[in-house]
Short mmCIF file of all heavy atoms in Angstrom, two decimals:
data_model
loop_
_atom_site.label_atom_id
_atom_site.label_comp_id
_atom_site.label_asym_id
_atom_site.label_seq_id
_atom_site.Cartn_x
_atom_site.Cartn_y
_atom_site.Cartn_z
N GLY A 85 272.25 -14.20 62.29
CA GLY A 85 273.30 -13.22 62.58
C GLY A 85 274.34 -13.07 61.49
O GLY A 85 275.35 -12.40 61.69
N GLY A 86 274.09 -13.68 60.33
CA GLY A 86 275.02 -13.54 59.22
C GLY A 86 274.94 -12.14 58.61
O GLY A 86 273.86 -11.55 58.52
N ASN A 87 276.07 -11.62 58.20
CA ASN A 87 276.14 -10.30 57.58
C ASN A 87 276.11 -10.50 56.06
O ASN A 87 277.15 -10.64 55.42
CB ASN A 87 277.43 -9.59 58.01
CG ASN A 87 277.58 -8.22 57.40
OD1 ASN A 87 276.62 -7.62 56.92
ND2 ASN A 87 278.81 -7.72 57.38
N ILE A 88 274.91 -10.53 55.49
CA ILE A 88 274.74 -10.91 54.09
C ILE A 88 274.40 -9.69 53.23
O ILE A 88 273.49 -8.93 53.55
CB ILE A 88 273.62 -11.96 53.92
CG1 ILE A 88 273.83 -13.14 54.87
CG2 ILE A 88 273.55 -12.42 52.47
CD1 ILE A 88 275.09 -13.92 54.60
N SER A 89 275.16 -9.52 52.15
CA SER A 89 274.90 -8.47 51.17
C SER A 89 274.44 -9.11 49.87
O SER A 89 275.04 -10.09 49.41
CB SER A 89 276.17 -7.65 50.92
OG SER A 89 276.61 -7.01 52.10
N PHE A 90 273.39 -8.57 49.29
CA PHE A 90 272.80 -9.10 48.07
C PHE A 90 272.87 -7.99 47.02
O PHE A 90 272.35 -6.90 47.22
CB PHE A 90 271.35 -9.51 48.33
CG PHE A 90 270.74 -10.41 47.30
CD1 PHE A 90 270.48 -11.74 47.59
CD2 PHE A 90 270.42 -9.94 46.04
CE1 PHE A 90 269.91 -12.59 46.66
CE2 PHE A 90 269.85 -10.77 45.09
CZ PHE A 90 269.59 -12.10 45.40
N VAL A 91 273.50 -8.29 45.86
CA VAL A 91 273.70 -7.27 44.83
C VAL A 91 273.04 -7.71 43.52
O VAL A 91 273.28 -8.81 43.04
CB VAL A 91 275.20 -7.02 44.57
CG1 VAL A 91 275.40 -5.84 43.61
CG2 VAL A 91 275.94 -6.75 45.88
N VAL A 92 272.20 -6.83 42.96
CA VAL A 92 271.54 -7.10 41.68
C VAL A 92 271.91 -6.00 40.68
O VAL A 92 272.50 -4.98 41.03
CB VAL A 92 270.00 -7.16 41.82
CG1 VAL A 92 269.60 -8.28 42.76
CG2 VAL A 92 269.45 -5.82 42.31
N ARG A 93 271.55 -6.23 39.44
CA ARG A 93 271.80 -5.25 38.38
C ARG A 93 270.93 -4.00 38.60
O ARG A 93 269.76 -4.11 38.98
CB ARG A 93 271.48 -5.88 37.02
CG ARG A 93 272.00 -5.09 35.82
CD ARG A 93 271.64 -5.84 34.54
NE ARG A 93 272.09 -5.16 33.33
CZ ARG A 93 273.19 -5.43 32.67
NH1 ARG A 93 273.98 -6.40 33.11
NH2 ARG A 93 273.51 -4.77 31.58
N ASP A 94 271.50 -2.85 38.32
CA ASP A 94 270.81 -1.59 38.56
C ASP A 94 269.85 -1.25 37.43
O ASP A 94 270.12 -0.41 36.56
CB ASP A 94 271.83 -0.45 38.73
CG ASP A 94 271.18 0.85 39.17
OD1 ASP A 94 269.98 0.83 39.45
OD2 ASP A 94 271.89 1.88 39.22
N GLN A 95 268.70 -1.93 37.45
CA GLN A 95 267.62 -1.61 36.52
C GLN A 95 266.31 -2.00 37.19
O GLN A 95 266.25 -3.00 37.93
CB GLN A 95 267.80 -2.31 35.18
CG GLN A 95 267.94 -3.81 35.22
CD GLN A 95 268.36 -4.40 33.88
OE1 GLN A 95 269.39 -4.06 33.33
NE2 GLN A 95 267.52 -5.28 33.34
N PRO A 96 265.24 -1.24 36.96
CA PRO A 96 263.99 -1.42 37.71
C PRO A 96 263.41 -2.83 37.66
O PRO A 96 262.86 -3.31 38.66
CB PRO A 96 263.04 -0.42 37.05
CG PRO A 96 263.94 0.64 36.49
CD PRO A 96 265.17 -0.09 36.04
N ASP A 97 263.52 -3.52 36.50
CA ASP A 97 262.91 -4.84 36.40
C ASP A 97 263.69 -5.90 37.18
O ASP A 97 263.25 -7.05 37.27
CB ASP A 97 262.75 -5.28 34.94
CG ASP A 97 264.06 -5.31 34.17
OD1 ASP A 97 265.07 -4.79 34.68
OD2 ASP A 97 264.07 -5.86 33.05
#
Side-chain angles (χ1 to χ4, degrees):
N87 180 19
I88 309 296
S89 298
F90 197 109
V91 186
V92 299
R93 193 179 180 97
D94 188 6
Q95 56 190 59
D97 58 348

